[in-house]
């Protein structure tokens, strides 16, 4: 076997072991802006230690505030988050079709005081493999983990239609 084939297989094996093979998140902004974030892009963003509340146990995770990720597609934040922006929704989609809706205002630290929405890329001290990872939504304050989407593949901003 060619050496490059062997090393390619090794690299693929490593990525499979960490669950990071070709996994990325598709971002879409309110005006249709798009961005693709790889595991490396997400690993390079500032992280905080957060606690994920699961059924009957907790898990310590390293996670990126969702606001930093939403900024990549121009999400309105801070003082810009007013008026029509109050009808902006974050749809977090997962590989199995599960999806979760959050209000954009919930991702804003000026509004909420402290970050409450995070994207975790490490929990219990290690990268997460599917079907939990490589990326998992963490909603601080939730007593049940139903909004903690596992294996997140997309984050889309939407505006609710205006009413007549
Ligand atoms: N992608 C995905 N994420 C999901 C779900 C799901 O069906 N698909 N179920 C949710 C629900 S209802 C719960 S209770 C938790 C369970 O998390 P656990 O499997 O890590 O215990 O995952 C949440 N995240
Ligand atoms: Mo659940």
């Amino acid at each position: 076997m060619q050496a490059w084939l062997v090393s390619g297989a090794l690299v693929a094996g490593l990525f499979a072991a960490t669950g990071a093979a070709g996994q990325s998140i598709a971002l879409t902004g309110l005006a249709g802006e798009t961005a693709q974030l790889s595991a490396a892009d997400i690993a390079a963003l500032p992280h905080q230690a957060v606690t994920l509340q699961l059924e009957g146990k907790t898990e310590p995770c390293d996670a990126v505030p969702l606001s930093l990720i939403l900024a990549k597609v121009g999400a309105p934040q801070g003082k810009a988050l007013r008026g029509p922006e109050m009808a902006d929704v974050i749809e977090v989609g997962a590989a199995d079709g599960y999806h979760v809706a959050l209000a954009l205002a919930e991702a804003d630290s000026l509004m909420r005081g402290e970050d409450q929405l995070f994207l975790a890329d490490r929990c219990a001290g290690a990268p997460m493999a599917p079907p939990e990872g490589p990326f998992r939504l963490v909603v601080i304050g939730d007593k049940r983990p139903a909004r903690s989407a596992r294996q997140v593949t997309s984050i889309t901003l939407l505006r609710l239609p205006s009413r007549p």
Side-chain angles (χ1 to χ4, degrees), residues 121-146:
D121 57 355
R122 294 176 67 85
C123 287
M128 289 169 284
E132 187 180 12
F135 314 114
R136 182 163 193 170
L137 183 66
V138 177
V139 182
I140 302 298
D142 276 6
K143 305 290 183 238
R144 294 181 47 245

Side-chain angles (χ1 to χ4, degrees), residues 3-15:
W4 63 266
L5 254 183
V6 175
S7 59
L10 275 174
V11 168
L14 266 177
F15 274 118

Side-chain angles (χ1 to χ4, degrees), residues 109-127:
S109 52
L110 197 61
M111 183 76 83
R112 301 288 306 169
E114 263 181 19
D115 286 305
Q116 307 198 337
L117 303 182
F118 291 89
L119 190 77
D121 57 355
R122 294 176 67 85
C123 287

Side-chain angles (χ1 to χ4, degrees), residues 55 98 144-146:
E55 306 273 15
Y98 197 68
R144 294 181 47 245

